[in-house]
Amino acid sequence: MSGAAGGEGGSGDPAARWGRWKLLALGLLSASSVLAAAPGAGAMSREEKRRLGNQVLEMFDHAYSNYMDHAYPADELMPLTCRGRVRGQEPSRGDVDDALGKFSLTLIDTLDTLVVLNKTKEFEDAVKNVIKDVNLDNDIVVSVFETNIRVLGGLLGGHSVAIMLKEKGEYMQWYSGELLHMAKQLGYKLLPAFNTTSGLPYPRVNLKFGLRSPEARTGTETDTCTACAGTLILEFAALSRFTGTSIFEEYARKALDFLWEKRQRNSNLVGVTINIHTGDWVRKDSGVGAGIDSYYEYLLKAYVLLGDDRFLERFNTHYDAIMRYISQPPLLLDVHIHKPMLNARTWMDSLLAFFPGLQVLKGDIRPAIETHEMLYQVIKKHNFLPEAFTTDFRVHWAQHPLRPEFAESTYFLYKATGDPYYLEVGKTLIENLNKYARVPCGFAAMKDVRTGSHEDRMDSFFLAEMFKYLYLLFADKEDMIFDIEDYIFTTEAHLLPLWLSTTNQTMSKKNTTTEYSELDDSNFEWTCPNTQILFPNDPMYAQSIREPLKNVVDKSCPRGVARVEESFGSGPKPPLRARDFMASNPEHLEILKKMGVSLIHLKDGRVQLVQHAIQAASSLDAEDGLRFMQEMIELSSQQQKEQQLPPRAVQIVSHPFFGRVVLTAGPAQFGMDLSKHSVGTRGFVATSKPYNGCSEITNPESVKEKIALMQRGQCMFAEKARNIQKAGAIGGIVIDDNEGSSSDTAPLFQMAGDGKNTDDIKIPMLFLFSKEGNIILDAIREYEAVEVLLSDKAKDRDLEMENMDQKSSENDSHKRRPETTSASEDLSLVSQEPEGEESSDVTHLDSLSPVDADSDSISISNQESCITEIHEAIVQETESTELDNKPQEQSQTERDSSSNVNWDNRVQPMESILADWNEDIEAFEMMEKDEL
């Protein structure tokens, strides 16, 4: 641990472990109090903290009441269409839907949040609803991981606070353990998933039929993620301790033991995905984000809750490896478990935002401050943390489902340092949620943080975690009706009482560090950190660590991340990165040669790179060459994408939306360039007649000075634009005529011209798919006068828009929330990659040349030292009557006279290329062994 250690020794007594954890928790609060009161610390006033705490309560009420009014008993609320998400009744979203089990997920996940926010009456009503309405015997396949942390954890957290309230004597006097009974019932329904020789659970289970029987429709999977198998011990052990039934804790321990045994022994890292039958690593990259994150969290927290030294020993071993290989302050970059000095990717995912909070619990405060500050700088640039962003802080995956991990780390850092800076961070989070995510029926996830477009989604974890951490951040001890330090947070922020460590102990504990003799235990501290030294009594301590990182995101041309000790020390230089490569640099050319990469200047001015792994100086150099070529493919692909026009935004600004609903729209290659008009084009919408806009408009009085709505089809886009412009329209929106089309199933495309000069078109034109367009059409039917803003990205959604329309809406009798009958589940048109998947599923390049079996090549334009902002690929389309009758897949390839991108029929998928390279490297390694 960082800092000096003090306190009691490493007793195996769980009660002693609990006592030391309490001392540490109280120490954090003591340090917080001292620092917050220090002169010059700029402490936030108590009135301001209370105001922000009350604002969090109001935001929670807005989200929770809309779920109960419009969605319950469905699993989740769809906040844009004001209805519940019922699995099987909405288009499938893939693995994301595995969290839904028709068991009122959001209500169960929110139970203990109600008590933390002092809403005891609402909690009592919610518990009664769960007992009365929730059925856990549905014929439905669910994720074992998600069901455990959200539903089982929610029931146990609800039971924990229910018995606490009952003991206090005012509320829940009727409660007789009903939630615990339901938790035990659910626990038994999850146990069939553990029917493997390894002890690792299947990733999915049928709540009614278990596994393997024909009715179950699951049980054939072979792989699971490390976090999926390693994030069970808190809930399962708590269930065993509460009920006295040991089988749950035994199964969870067996899964953890197997993962520990399968760690890579040289690096002490674990991979992302493992075969549940053989224990072989399927994905051998390792990090602290998606797929692994909560495995590390549960090792440390299992030690705290259960008092078993083995869990702390394992955590310390992994943590040492993380800080040795993955941590590249302020970044946390995935590496290969067998080659931990080799980065596995050039981007980070948002789930790693929990790690600074875990480092606080570990006692390693400095890197926690550094990583948290880096993440905050990304948030200040994009308003939210993108699902993934590159090492030079550009958007990689643009969506943001209102994840709470950053708020969690902010809370723990404030408790550890007492620095009021983190209260200001929390204030920023509140403001951004209200400004950009709040909609009339709750809070909507962001489909694209760059445009501000929304997704019809409000996950249960938003209520379970976000409001809990934000409220605790601003709450004083007297604001709470119970001592939060008596509980430990699960990964879903559910509360489990620390007294469980002394209850129904069924597993043997070992106070020894000799069980794994191969480990170096010299750096392990078996005591709690001395908080007087760990958190210096200096209000400037955290600020001094943050200060060098203030401009890390805003640098105009980041040079990438190199290991500090290699850049400034005497060690070897870091490998050449593709983004830094310059074809005119002799040193770079020498490095390429060493990696087995040849450079060829083509007649057209391009540079072609060809790698022959067998020509590399060593197997390590060959791997560096493989990574370099992979990065170059990504850069080349990004450049092609950047030649496209970015997506645009259609923002509904009239009552009752006030700019809170944003639809991502396809741009046009003609007409007004919205990127050059900061204010955009704002106006009321009107349907053109004829609706297809392909002839002279017969209702010019209706579309004059308005934004005309038209249906796609029967003529060219440019012809539609000319017709409505002649009728006096100030803009146009083309809605797809393919009923049911949406961004879920079709890529965004640009509206091309008609092959003629289109300089005569002066108005802006945007395109919406059918389901997204129906949002506007349904709003017209509901409210008649609907005003929208066409712009390059969403504008600020604050009181300004509301004030502009307040007078006109004071006497409006239509103050209901919009209810649509054919609304999009995904209210955005930006083509996105599936959540949680790799970005390199299939990558095609127009510049790939045919090569021999033992080499691969890529042609790129001469690189500058900076790469411009990344945008999602936009497939362009020209509209005509003939092509409208063709299948949609074919229509995406229609011509675009202004595009510079040509897609070659000879391109190869990236998997094929990487497979060839890996074969070369393996062959080279075999040759090395033969020579030795």
Side-chain angles (χ1 to χ4, degrees):
M1 296 183 182
S2 64
E8 303 173 65
S11 169
D13 181 7
R17 295 286 181 196
W18 174 25
R20 288 200 306 284
W21 176 256
K22 283 279 289 178
L23 289 174
L24 174 58
L26 294 174
L28 294 180
L29 293 176
S30 299
S32 174
S33 302
V34 171
L35 290 179
M44 182 179 286
S45 68
R46 180 171 296 228
E47 292 74 19
E48 177 69 357
K49 286 180 63 178
R50 182 151 295 176
R51 183 188 71 81
L52 291 169
N54 289 334
Q55 191 171 2
V56 173
L57 293 176
E58 185 279 329
M59 294 165 65
F60 172 83
D61 288 340
H62 178 65
Y64 181 70
S65 62
N66 273 290
Y67 166 75
M68 295 302 295
D69 291 344
H70 298 289
Y72 182 78
D75 283 318
E76 291 180 344
L77 170 68
M78 299 173 68
L80 295 179
T81 50
C82 297
R83 56 197 173 98
R85 183 182 298 280
V86 179
R87 194 167 170 187
Q89 296 182 14
E90 303 293 336
S92 174
R93 300 176 299 171
D95 292 347
V96 178
D97 284 339
D98 287 344
L100 311 180
K102 298 182 179 179
F103 36 36
S104 302
L105 174 63
T106 297
L107 183 61
I108 292 177
D109 219 0
T110 308
L111 287 175
D112 53 6
T113 302
L114 290 164
V115 178
V116 172
L117 272 56
N118 299 334
K119 297 182 178 297
T120 47
K121 177 62 170 63
E122 290 89 340
F123 170 74
E124 195 158 2
D125 293 340
V127 172
K128 291 178 180 177
N129 281 332
V130 169
I131 296 171
K132 173 172 61 77
D133 297 335
V134 172
N135 177 22
L136 298 174
D137 195 40
N138 298 313
D139 178 13
I140 193 167
V141 176
V142 297
S143 162
V144 173
F145 168 76
E146 296 289 356
T147 304
N148 172 65
I149 66 172
R150 300 203 208 186
V151 186
L152 182 58
L155 292 170
L156 292 172
H159 173 70
S160 299
V161 294
I163 58 177
M164 177 270 296
L165 290 174
K166 183 176 182 179
E167 185 177 323
K168 288 180 177 292
E170 184 176 355
Y171 294 97
M172 303 299 292
Q173 296 305 299
W174 55 270
Y175 181 70
S176 299
E178 289 86 351
L179 294 180
L180 180 59
H181 175 76
M182 294 178 69
K184 187 174 182 181
Q185 178 189 3
L186 180 60
Y188 278 120
K189 288 185 173 296
L190 295 179
L191 285 186
F194 293 83
N195 187 24
T196 62
T197 56
S198 67
L200 299 179
Y202 282 91
R204 299 174 186 83
V205 69
N206 187 298
L207 290 178
K208 188 176 185 68
F209 298 107
L211 292 177
R212 296 198 181 281
S213 62
E215 298 88 352
R217 305 182 305 282
T218 190
T220 60
E221 303 94 341
T222 58
D223 306 334
T224 194
C225 71
T226 299
C228 300
T231 310
L232 299 159
I233 186 63
L234 292 188
E235 292 83 2
F236 272 48
L239 183 57
S240 287
R241 303 297 176 96
F242 271 130
T243 63
T245 305
S246 64
I247 188 172
F248 304 109
E249 184 173 344
E250 291 170 0
Y251 274 49
R253 281 178 176 265
K254 184 179 179 182
L256 273 182
D257 290 345
F258 190 83
L259 288 173
W260 169 251
E261 288 298 322
K262 290 300 178 179
R263 75 192 185 283
Q264 212 290 321
R265 298 304 178 100
N266 292 325
S267 66
N268 281 320
L269 295 172
V270 292
V272 174
T273 309
I274 190 171
N275 186 296
I276 60 177
H277 303 296
T278 66
D280 295 332
W281 291 111
V282 179
R283 275 187 52 189
K284 301 177 183 179
D285 46 320
S286 183
V288 296
I292 303 180
D293 48 2
S294 48
Y295 163 68
Y296 296 132
E297 177 186 2
Y298 270 38
L299 285 177
L300 180 57
K301 290 184 176 179
Y303 164 69
V304 173
L305 183 64
L306 307 178
D308 189 334
D309 290 352
R310 288 174 292 188
F311 293 128
L312 179 62
E313 181 172 9
R314 295 175 187 180
F315 173 80
N316 280 334
T317 302
H318 285 314
Y319 187 79
D320 178 70
I322 291 169
M323 300 309 291
R324 186 186 305 268
Y325 302 119
I326 295 171
S327 177
Q328 301 178 38
L331 308 185
L332 294 163
L333 295 178
D334 286 15
V335 299
H336 296 281
I337 59 175
H338 297 288
K339 297 285 186 179
M341 298 303 292
L342 183 64
N343 288 338
R345 60 175 59 150
T346 58
W347 49 271
M348 296 164 281
D349 66 73
S350 63
L351 286 173
L352 61 76
F354 91 100
F355 198 67
L358 187 63
Q359 289 179 305
V360 170
L361 298 183
K362 158 70 175 173
D364 202 358
I365 192 71
R366 185 182 187 93
I369 293 173
E370 290 174 335
T371 298
H372 180 274
E373 180 61 23
M374 176 271 293
L375 295 170
Y376 185 45
Q377 296 302 319
V378 175
I379 289 174
K380 288 203 292 186
K381 181 176 182 179
H382 299 293
N383 299 320
F384 298 97
L385 200 60
E387 276 292 78
F389 54 94
T390 61
T391 54
D392 48 2
F393 309 110
R394 296 185 175 100
V395 173
H396 187 68
W397 295 337
Q399 64 267 43
H400 172 77
L402 306 182
R403 293 198 185 278
E405 285 77 14
F406 181 78
E408 173 186 358
S409 289
T410 302
Y411 164 70
F412 281 113
L413 271 169
Y414 176 67
K415 290 301 179 185
T417 66
D419 190 335
Y421 175 84
Y422 295 109
L423 296 177
E424 295 297 332
V425 173
K427 181 179 179 180
T428 299
L429 297 181
I430 291 173
E431 290 173 346
N432 287 351
L433 284 170
N434 277 322
K435 195 172 187 179
Y436 301 111
R438 186 165 182 149
V439 294
C441 279
F443 291 83
M446 307 307 295
K447 179 66 175 179
D448 193 316
V449 298
R450 297 163 301 189
T451 64
S453 58
H454 288 134
E455 195 172 352
D456 203 2
R457 169 182 180 183
M458 189 177 81
D459 290 84
S460 68
F461 54 67
F462 182 61
L463 287 165
E465 302 183 67
M466 180 68 81
F467 294 114
K468 193 175 294 175
Y469 287 124
L470 287 178
Y471 182 76
L472 289 172
L473 178 63
F474 296 104
D476 293 321
K477 192 169 185 178
E478 57 267 25
D479 297 326
M480 303 291 296
I481 61 175
F482 66 101
D483 188 355
I484 196 70
E485 306 302 336
D486 287 337
Y487 297 82
I488 190 169
F489 290 111
T490 69
T491 194
E492 191 78 3
H494 292 307
L495 302 178
L496 297 178
L498 290 169
W499 54 257
L500 286 175
S501 61
T502 60
T503 303
N504 290 324
Q505 300 176 42
T506 59
M507 308 299 296
S508 62
K509 318 286 191 306
K510 291 188 179 181
N511 178 32
T512 176
T513 61
T514 60
E515 181 181 359
Y516 308 108
S517 58
E518 73 274 18
L519 296 179
D520 176 11
D521 194 43
S522 61
N523 68 329
F524 295 165
E525 298 289 355
W526 293 93
T527 57
C528 290
N530 184 332
T531 57
Q532 294 303 312
I533 300 176
L534 179 61
F535 312 120
N537 203 4
D538 176 9
M540 302 301 291
Y541 173 66
Q543 180 180 344
S544 66
I545 299 175
R546 291 192 303 266
E547 195 61 34
L549 302 171
K550 287 296 185 183
N551 299 319
V552 68
V553 173
D554 293 327
K555 289 180 180 177
S556 59
C557 184
R559 298 303 300 169
V561 177
R563 297 181 185 274
V564 176
E565 67 273 16
E566 293 178 343
S567 299
F568 300 102
S570 58
K573 293 182 179 180
L576 177 64
R577 310 308 297 266
R579 61 177 173 268
D580 298 328
F581 170 68
M582 298 185 68
S584 59
N585 189 322
E587 184 180 354
H588 288 182
L589 298 180
E590 188 63 30
I591 295 175
L592 290 187
K593 183 178 179 181
K594 188 177 180 182
M595 294 189 299
V597 178
S598 302
L599 183 145
I600 304 172
H601 291 275
L602 303 178
K603 292 181 179 180
D604 59 6
R606 293 182 301 160
V607 174
Q608 184 180 63
L609 299 177
V610 183
Q611 189 201 27
H612 299 265
I614 59 176
Q615 295 180 5
S618 69
S619 59
L620 183 58
D621 289 317
E623 288 190 2
D624 286 343
L626 167 61
R627 176 196 46 74
F628 178 84
M629 295 293 284
Q630 185 175 351
E631 289 181 359
M632 195 61 76
I633 288 177
E634 293 177 0
L635 290 180
S636 179
S637 177
Q638 290 167 13
Q639 284 188 325
Q640 292 171 356
K641 294 174 183 179
E642 288 159 5
Q643 293 173 358
Q644 311 284 343
L645 292 175
R648 306 302 188 200
V650 175
Q651 192 170 7
I652 308 179
V653 297
S654 55
H655 170 83
F657 305 96
F658 298 121
R660 298 188 181 102
V661 173
V662 183
L663 311 175
T664 303
Q669 296 172 355
F670 51 84
M672 179 191 293
D673 185 353
L674 291 170
S675 65
K676 297 179 180 179
H677 294 75
S678 58
V679 296
T681 297
R682 177 169 175 163
F684 288 92
V685 295
T687 303
S688 67
K689 293 182 180 179
Y691 189 28
N692 58 34
C694 291
S695 59
E696 184 176 352
I697 304 302
T698 59
N699 61 334
E701 69 286 348
S702 298
V703 301
K704 186 176 182 180
E705 299 301 323
K706 294 182 180 178
I707 296 173
L709 301 179
M710 298 161 286
Q711 187 177 51
R712 175 188 175 193
Q714 301 185 24
C715 65
M716 306 294 284
F717 290 119
E719 185 176 350
K720 298 175 187 289
R722 290 188 178 97
N723 287 331
I724 62 170
Q725 179 176 272
K726 182 179 178 181
I730 60 174
I733 298 175
V734 179
I735 300 175
D736 193 10
D737 63 341
N738 182 15
E739 187 64 32
S741 66
S742 74
S743 59
D744 294 334
T745 56
L748 185 67
F749 59 85
Q750 302 181 43
M751 294 187 289
D754 54 4
K756 306 173 185 177
N757 190 317
T758 55
D759 291 344
D760 59 312
I761 302 176
K762 306 298 183 182
I763 62 174
M765 293 286 292
L766 296 180
F767 179 92
L768 292 177
F769 282 111
S770 170
K771 284 194 173 181
E772 285 72 21
N774 278 338
I775 295 294
I776 296 179
L777 296 176
D778 289 338
I780 293 175
R781 285 188 285 269
E782 184 78 14
Y783 303 104
E784 294 184 0
V786 175
E787 190 178 12
V788 302
L789 173 67
L790 312 184
S791 59
D792 62 331
K793 61 181 179 180
K795 307 304 179 185
D796 287 350
R797 281 155 279 177
D798 50 22
L799 291 177
E800 180 181 349
M801 287 185 178
E802 194 164 348
N803 291 337
M804 292 177 65
D805 295 305
Q806 187 172 7
K807 291 184 179 181
S808 63
S809 62
E810 282 179 352
N811 300 320
D812 189 355
S813 61
H814 298 284
K815 293 191 176 181
R816 300 184 299 269
R817 295 180 179 87
E819 297 179 2
T820 62
T821 58
S822 181
S824 169
E825 177 181 315
D826 241 5
L827 297 188
S828 162
L829 300 181
V830 177
S831 176
Q832 295 285 351
E833 293 157 293
E835 181 177 336
E837 292 187 7
E838 292 284 347
S839 67
S840 57
D841 290 340
V842 179
T843 301
H844 295 92
L845 295 170
D846 64 323
S847 53
L848 282 175
S849 304
V851 291
D852 296 333
D854 63 343
S855 67
D856 291 85
S857 68
I858 171 176
S859 300
I860 60 169
S861 301
N862 287 329
Q863 299 291 318
E864 298 293 339
S865 58
C866 283
I867 306 298
T868 55
E869 180 98 15
I870 301 172
H871 293 290
E872 297 293 338
I874 304 174
V875 180
Q876 304 176 15
E877 175 172 321
T878 305
E879 180 174 1
S880 69
T881 305
E882 178 182 0
L883 292 179
D884 275 343
N885 296 324
K886 295 183 180 181
Q888 185 173 352
E889 291 79 1
Q890 297 178 14
S891 67
Q892 300 300 329
T893 63
E894 294 176 25
R895 63 178 177 81
D896 170 20
S897 59
S898 66
S899 174
N900 293 323
V901 178
N902 295 315
W903 297 97
D904 198 317
N905 292 328
R906 298 173 298 173
V907 296
Q908 296 173 257
M910 180 179 285
E911 288 87 348
S912 173
I913 298 170
L914 297 184
D916 290 342
W917 285 343
N918 285 322
E919 289 177 4
D920 291 342
I921 293 173
E922 292 173 2
F924 186 91
E925 291 174 342
M926 290 298 296
M927 291 169 59
E928 275 191 333
K929 292 177 181 178
D930 292 341
E931 290 174 0
L932 293 175

